[in-house]
Amino acid sequence: MDADDVDIEMRLLPPRKVLVIGASIGAGHNSAAWELQRRLQCNGLSAVYFDILDAVPFIFKVILCDLYGPIVNYAPSLFSRFMASWESDSSWTVRILLWSVSTRKVLEQIRGASVVVTTHAIATQAVGRLKQQGKHEAVIVSYFCDAGIHQLLFHQEVDLNLVPVPEAVQQCAKYGHTAVAITPLVQSKFRSPVPQHTCYRLRQRLGLAAESAVILIVAGSLGIGSVGSTVSDILDQMEAVLIVVLCGRNSTLQRSLSTIPRVTALGWREDISELLAIAQAMVHNAGGMAVWEAMVTGLPATTYNPLPGHGMANARALEQSGLSPWPRDRRDLRLALEHALQMGRREPTIEDEQVVVDHIARMMQRANDITLL
């Protein structure tokens, strides 16, 4: 069969799609999935999004979404033990969860897909297990949203692991898996400069003095962790700065911080790129999407009071990669922030959106080649 015959047969194949599976646990995993879907569609590929939590019983959705925040806030040691168990693919909690995933719902979504891309460990394990059982033949790509690596992120049926920092490639190798580093999947608006007049108007609306440095504190979409302690430590150590806290959907946290001088507490926002533009430094506690968004804009990030479990793992990985220092006390926090303010913004990360699309396209070609055999 010559090349022309192959081209003809490929044109006769049914349309291929990419299934992107995220998880609505927090916001970062879905954000990465939606951004990948957008890039694929902009390049003329059929890309469909699916939330893996739509394939689990309601009680598990409640546990994973609604109970996550309270457990982190009020029983952090319990959460740490749970995460230590969760990050092992042989733990009973993982086995029960994966047994509960609806095979029918997942396979309905996979039908017609030549490539499945996952952005959460639950999705990776579910899709990999089904392929291992011979229930589908789609090529599997796993995108790691965080810098911290653990066992549950891997499955032997995954064909390509994509990681957001080069240092994670070496971490994957320690688990016996190969990986390719790409620039984190961040929305394109974060790579576009924010006009000065937009920054000026935003500072005015928030009541931020033009001459004062702004430190942005982020605590994820749920606004969890020791945020109040972080605010207090910065206020006690640094007299001249203003603090803007992104409380996410935690209205209780927002109310508790709203009366503190030099602190502006905000709820859920859609203008994160503009808030990053008016800040001179960022403090985070989870190492999720906010870190990659800051990295893309060049805003220096510092980890402090990290969440138990994945937050601690990300803090270690980000510190080792040189992307985000992790001061352990308020004095070192002040020194880290003073250094960040003195050094200013880094060069924004340059990203070629086409890179990840090319990786997926090669996986689609691989799937087509297998189909033609």
Side-chain angles (χ1 to χ4, degrees), residues 7 9 86 169 215 285:
D7 289 341
E9 288 204 22
W86 166 252
V169 174
I215 295 175
N285 65 1

Side-chain angles (χ1 to χ4, degrees), residues 68-118:
Y68 167 65
I71 293 175
V72 170
N73 278 337
Y74 302 111
S77 58
L78 173 63
F79 183 77
S80 292
R81 289 195 295 271
F82 172 76
M83 286 301 296
S85 169
W86 166 252
E87 291 173 356
S88 169
D89 57 3
S90 62
S91 71
W92 65 269
T93 53
V94 172
R95 290 180 181 272
I96 290 175
L97 177 59
L98 291 178
W99 286 337
S100 75
V101 174
S102 170
T103 297
R104 177 184 60 81
K105 290 183 179 180
V106 176
L107 289 177
E108 282 178 355
Q109 297 295 322
I110 294 177
R111 185 180 298 117
S114 56
V115 177
V116 178
V117 185
T118 62

Side-chain angles (χ1 to χ4, degrees), residues 1 8 111 126 176 190 196 219 229 239 250 263 270 285 299 317 325:
M1 180 181 296
I8 292 173
R111 185 180 298 117
F190 290 95
Q196 285 287 65
S229 296
E239 297 181 355
N250 190 339
V263 175
E270 298 291 343
N285 65 1
L299 183 69

Side-chain angles (χ1 to χ4, degrees), residues 64-315:
L64 292 169
C65 297
D66 297 341
L67 295 184
Y68 167 65
I71 293 175
V72 170
N73 278 337
Y74 302 111
S77 58
L78 173 63
F79 183 77
S80 292
R81 289 195 295 271
F82 172 76
M83 286 301 296
S85 169
W86 166 252
E87 291 173 356
S88 169
D89 57 3
S90 62
S91 71
W92 65 269
T93 53
V94 172
R95 290 180 181 272
I96 290 175
L97 177 59
L98 291 178
W99 286 337
S100 75
V101 174
S102 170
T103 297
R104 177 184 60 81
K105 290 183 179 180
V106 176
L107 289 177
E108 282 178 355
Q109 297 295 322
I110 294 177
R111 185 180 298 117
S114 56
V115 177
V116 178
V117 185
T118 62
T119 66
H120 193 278
I122 297 175
T124 303
Q125 295 301 317
V127 174
R129 180 170 60 94
L130 291 174
K131 186 172 183 179
Q132 198 171 40
Q133 295 170 351
K135 295 185 177 180
H136 73 86
E137 296 181 351
V139 172
I140 304 174
V141 178
S142 175
Y143 171 71
F144 297 7
C145 291
D146 295 336
I149 305 299
H150 58 80
Q151 178 64 42
L152 200 61
L153 292 167
F154 303 102
H155 195 283
Q156 64 186 36
E157 293 294 339
V158 170
D159 299 277
L160 176 64
N161 294 301
L162 298 174
V163 295
V165 287
E167 289 77 11
V169 174
Q170 287 74 40
Q171 293 299 315
C172 292
K174 293 180 180 178
Y175 286 94
H177 294 267
T178 60
V180 175
I182 63 170
T183 305
L185 291 172
V186 174
Q187 295 179 54
S188 57
K189 65 181 180 181
F190 290 95
R191 296 188 298 276
S192 302
V194 178
Q196 285 287 65
H197 63 85
T198 301
C199 294
Y200 176 76
R201 286 200 298 265
L202 180 56
R203 290 186 71 118
Q204 277 193 320
R205 288 199 302 271
L206 297 178
L208 304 174
E211 68 277 5
S212 299
V214 172
I215 295 175
L216 185 69
I217 298 179
V218 297
S221 61
L222 300 179
I224 56 178
S226 303
V227 183
S229 296
T230 298
V231 170
S232 297
D233 288 349
I234 295 176
L235 291 176
D236 289 346
Q237 293 289 307
M238 306 180 73
E239 297 181 355
V241 301
L242 303 177
I243 299 175
V244 174
V245 186
L246 297 183
C247 302
R249 296 184 172 90
N250 190 339
S251 56
T252 300
L253 174 65
Q254 184 181 3
R255 287 194 298 270
S256 69
L257 298 176
S258 61
T259 59
I260 301 176
R262 290 198 286 142
V263 175
T264 301
L266 305 175
W268 181 258
R269 305 280 294 202
E270 298 291 343
D271 58 345
I272 303 300
S273 60
E274 296 175 6
L275 288 165
L276 291 174
I278 67 170
Q280 282 68 55
M282 185 183 82
V283 177
H284 65 96
N285 65 1
M289 182 58 70
V291 171
W292 309 132
E293 291 167 350
M295 185 181 80
V296 166
T297 67
L299 183 69
T302 299
T303 311
Y304 193 64
N305 284 334
L307 299 179
H310 66 290
M312 297 282 283
N314 285 335

